[in-house]
Amino acid sequence: MKINVEHVAKLARLGITPAEKEMFGRQLSAILEYAEILNKLDIDKVPPTSHAIPMKNVLREDKVVSFKNTKEIMANAPEEEENMFKVPRIVE
Amino acid sequence: MKTAHELHSQLTSKKVSSVELTEAVFTQIDKTENKVRAYVSINKEAALKEAKAADQRIKNNDNVTPLTGIPIAIKDNMCTRGVLTTCSSKILANYIPPYDATIVTKIKEAGAVIIGKANMDEFAMGSSTENSGLHPTFNPWDIETVPGGSSGGSAAAVAAGEAVLATGSDTGGSIRQPASFCGVVGFKPTYGRVSRYGLVAFASSLDQIGPLTKDVTDSAILLNTIAGYDPKDSTSVNIPVPDYRKALVDNVKKLKVGVIKELLGKGIDKTIQESVNKATAKLKELGADIIEVSLPSFEYAVATYYLIAPAEASSNLARYDGVKFGHRAKEAKDLLTMYYKTRAEGFGAEVKRRIMLGTYALSAGYYDAYYLKALKVRTLIKQDFDKAFKRCDVLVSPTSPSVAFKVGEKKDDPLAMYMADIATIPVNLAGLPAISVPCGISNGLPIGLQIIGKAFDEETILHAAFTYEQNTQWHKKNPPLINS
């Protein structure tokens, strides 16, 4: 199985080295080949399960609850200015 | 080594203080931690302060709980306010949460003494703790073998006496398999039983928090503390939580125990099969009805899991982009380069592999062939369990197909590592509760018996596990390391 590793890495916003490209290509192929065993099953009419325990949408009143601890949130920011997260320029 | 419930009576009868207990744990850490390396971070000063507060609480008889004054390790994917929570990843190496996970709040309120944060496979992805981005952990029974994973630090800490209790998280076996490898008890509750608020997300439809302890009674005690609905986790289920200690009854007469045929044959080591057969015979001797059950869909469980879990992970881990917290690559001129470099530098090989696998399984043109197909097979696995539970109260199997393997043995063969999760993965896919209890020793390494229950029926599991434990001695064995 041939996987376009570079394309997948780009979708995942993941920088990879040439060595990683070779390694992941090989390993992902082996895993996906193994996953082919699912093709032995006749599951056309089987419904998918995304949660094993029945889940329903949980609604609550739309109420503002202030988080008092913004200082500790901002202390984790790689770069910060006036209580805002700073990132490299995105528009010229 | 004493259990939490034994220490609790010593604390309340003033035979020992929490400060003495905590200091004894640190003495043990001084003796064994350089070999075991169970912890990512240890905070002795804070622990002794908590121990003093616990002693005061006991002295004043002020809301004393079974956890008051008991030393505990917290897996490092559970947020602790003001204390590093790294998930054993370089990308979170400097992350200091501004809040506590709900289970941490509950453990603190109960008065337990937090010794430190336990090592794990990075983002809980792995079965050996070799994928920790910080350092590996070693099995206290034989430091040339792995402790299992991903809660390897938690299991090793309890086994080595470096904590009395520990918390773990289990997405595909990450509590039960290390418990099995380290000869301790590991309990994964039903999905939705324990709040995941403040647990760093790996695969949100599978993750669940649970106890790692020296015996079944301690597991019931810790579960009593952490279980329950939490409005902050919309997947936690709002139903009453029973007193799990009441389930600790030494009697399995007429209990219908199903033995899973698919997990006692090909691919399972002979010594493991023998130990589990002996455990089943023991339950029979104690009055349980033993029934052989077949769950044919198990053959597909590993493939199903390794499509669903990475798919969910690839989405969950998109948040590590270097913007709001965690590592950010230096000298990135534009935003995209910053993402690429930050994630390349911050994630280890296994995490990258799973992000790639999940991204691929969800990508245009492959969604139906992989992800959707896996969700359908998940239905079959759940149906097989439903069918088995029509005839049985609990199901039993080995926890792992082998005892602890050698450090490095499977590190470069991801698929071989994944196959080691064959017995635990189906349980997560069906959202069910399951425990691992020690049931044997082979060449000096522990073997675990898995007992699986119906959804939200943790009590019957505890009941069966407690009876087995009371009538065997395996849980009393300690690794040679702690006496040397």
Side-chain angles (χ1 to χ4, degrees):
Chain A
M1 183 177 295
K2 195 95 187 89
I3 297 163
N4 188 341
V5 176
E6 262 169 66
H7 174 65
V8 178
K10 199 177 148 198
L11 290 175
R13 301 288 183 264
L14 199 58
I16 54 167
T17 64
E20 280 178 324
K21 188 182 152 188
E22 187 279 322
M23 180 182 76
F24 288 140
R26 185 165 36 82
Q27 291 172 337
L28 296 184
S29 294
I31 295 163
L32 291 166
E33 262 162 42
Y34 173 68
E36 298 286 322
I37 61 162
L38 301 188
N39 293 331
K40 289 193 342 203
L41 291 162
D42 180 15
I43 47 173
D44 279 358
K45 296 199 176 76
V46 178
T49 296
S50 49
H51 267 97
I53 307 296
M55 288 283 155
K56 56 175 180 10
N57 202 7
V58 179
L59 300 173
R60 60 166 169 76
E61 206 186 328
D62 189 12
K63 206 171 66 188
V64 177
V65 182
S66 68
F67 188 83
K68 299 213 165 49
N69 203 1
T70 42
K71 219 187 219 170
E72 286 176 52
I73 294 179
M74 296 317 290
N76 278 295
E79 249 190 285
E80 181 237 1
E81 203 174 296
E82 292 174 28
N83 244 12
M84 286 181 282
F85 299 105
K86 199 172 168 186
V87 291
R89 175 182 291 274
I90 48 170
V91 278
E92 289 303 323
Chain B
M1 285 196 304
K2 292 208 163 57
T3 61
H5 57 95
E6 287 164 350
L7 292 168
H8 175 69
S9 15
Q10 294 196 353
L11 283 165
T12 48
S13 62
K14 319 273 173 15
K15 284 201 182 80
V16 69
S17 72
S18 176
V19 168
E20 286 167 336
L21 256 182
T22 305
E23 271 168 353
V25 164
F26 281 108
T27 305
Q28 187 63 31
I29 287 174
D30 288 342
K31 259 169 66 183
T32 50
E33 178 62 2
N34 64 341
K35 299 188 193 91
V36 177
R37 307 205 69 192
Y39 286 99
V40 166
S41 63
I42 293 175
N43 197 337
K44 189 171 179 177
E45 208 182 312
L48 285 169
K49 219 170 120 189
E50 285 165 17
K52 263 187 206 140
D55 282 332
Q56 200 60 40
R57 200 161 152 175
I58 292 163
K59 194 179 150 204
N60 300 339
N61 199 13
D62 168 24
N63 189 18
V64 176
T65 79
L67 289 197
T68 307
I70 304 290
I72 188 168
I74 306 287
K75 188 175 180 181
D76 207 32
N77 58 352
M78 298 168 197
C79 286
T80 41
R81 183 175 174 186
V83 176
L84 272 180
T85 298
T86 70
C87 235
S88 292
S89 179
K90 288 198 172 73
I91 213 156
L92 284 176
N94 59 3
Y95 176 59
I96 299 178
Y99 70 107
D100 279 326
T102 295
I103 65 115
V104 171
T105 304
K106 287 182 168 190
I107 285 166
K108 282 183 177 172
E109 279 171 5
V113 174
I114 297 175
I115 300 294
K117 304 295 294 284
N119 195 21
M120 53 188 280
D121 286 298
E122 183 180 3
F123 284 101
M125 297 176 188
S127 312
S128 69
T129 315
E130 291 168 291
N131 294 335
S132 167
L134 306 174
H135 56 77
T137 294
F138 302 96
N139 192 320
W141 289 80
D142 174 358
I143 55 164
E144 285 178 15
T145 68
V146 302
S150 69
S151 309
S154 300
V158 173
E162 295 186 14
V164 178
L165 305 167
T167 63
S169 65
D170 191 316
T171 306
S174 280
I175 289 173
R176 291 158 286 157
Q177 185 255 21
S180 164
F181 279 15
C182 292
V184 299
V185 175
F187 195 9
K188 180 202 102 70
T190 312
Y191 182 83
R193 181 56 100 184
V194 177
S195 167
R196 295 183 293 113
Y197 179 74
L199 170 72
V200 178
F202 159 15
S204 302
S205 82
L206 303 163
D207 299 341
Q208 186 62 198
I209 295 173
L212 285 125
T213 60
K214 291 195 212 319
D215 71 357
V216 175
T217 303
D218 276 5
S219 269
I221 288 169
L222 186 48
L223 188 58
N224 271 348
T225 304
I226 62 175
Y229 171 68
D230 177 11
K232 289 176 179 154
D233 172 6
S234 64
T235 63
S236 72
V237 176
N238 197 355
I239 54 169
V241 179
D243 177 356
Y244 291 112
R245 289 196 78 165
K246 292 205 173 121
L248 305 173
V249 179
D250 179 0
N251 181 359
V252 287
K253 286 207 176 71
K254 297 280 163 223
L255 188 80
K256 294 196 278 294
V257 176
V259 180
I260 302 172
K261 196 180 109 192
E262 283 75 12
L263 295 176
L264 276 174
K266 209 181 106 213
I268 312 289
D269 286 358
K270 271 270 167 310
T271 49
I272 305 279
Q273 293 190 34
E274 281 163 20
S275 285
V276 171
N277 287 335
K278 270 188 203 154
T280 315
K282 187 77 194 175
L283 290 169
K284 190 175 179 187
E285 177 196 315
L286 294 167
D289 293 335
I290 308 296
I291 307 158
E292 190 185 74
V293 292
S294 173
L295 291 94
S297 63
F298 275 26
E299 184 189 347
Y300 308 97
V302 172
T304 303
Y305 176 88
Y306 279 99
L307 292 170
I308 292 174
E312 294 187 18
S314 71
S315 167
N316 271 327
L317 271 62
R319 76 191 67 182
Y320 303 102
D321 56 6
V323 174
K324 302 187 200 73
F325 57 91
H327 174 72
R328 175 189 290 190
K330 287 192 176 62
E331 288 160 33
K333 285 196 181 66
D334 58 75
L335 198 63
L336 264 184
T337 313
M338 187 185 94
Y339 293 156
Y340 286 122
K341 282 184 74 177
T342 295
R343 292 161 66 79
E345 291 170 6
F347 292 136
E350 181 64 20
V351 174
K352 286 179 185 169
R353 193 153 40 234
R354 295 206 196 182
I355 289 174
M356 302 268 292
L357 186 57
T359 304
Y360 182 79
L362 290 174
S363 66
Y366 299 101
Y367 181 91
D368 287 0
Y370 293 107
Y371 184 64
L372 186 64
K373 198 170 280 171
L375 292 186
K376 288 180 168 193
V377 182
R378 187 175 187 181
T379 306
L380 298 183
I381 291 166
K382 193 172 178 307
Q383 287 170 348
D384 271 0
F385 272 118
D386 289 345
K387 228 184 278 170
F389 278 121
K390 282 202 179 111
R391 296 166 59 206
C392 307
D393 300 311
V394 292
L395 304 176
V396 297
S397 78
T399 305
S400 168
S402 73
V403 292
F405 43 87
K406 288 256 187 277
V407 174
E409 189 183 313
K410 298 185 181 181
K411 199 152 190 294
D412 298 318
D413 188 352
L415 197 52
M417 190 78 93
Y418 298 169
M419 295 310 285
D421 302 335
I422 176 68
T424 48
I425 272 174
V427 175
N428 297 75
L429 288 170
L432 301 174
I435 202 166
S436 177
V437 292
C439 75
I441 290 176
S442 169
N443 286 328
L445 292 168
I447 297 170
L449 172 73
Q450 178 173 243
I451 307 175
I452 310 165
K454 296 172 189 168
F456 298 103
D457 187 16
E458 282 83 4
E459 290 161 287
T460 307
I461 294 176
L462 287 167
H463 171 144
F466 181 76
T467 304
Y468 176 74
E469 185 185 80
Q470 292 305 300
N471 293 282
T472 51
Q473 295 295 316
W474 300 112
H475 65 292
K476 295 200 171 138
K477 309 259 187 241
N478 288 321
L481 179 79
I482 66 158
N483 304 318
S484 61

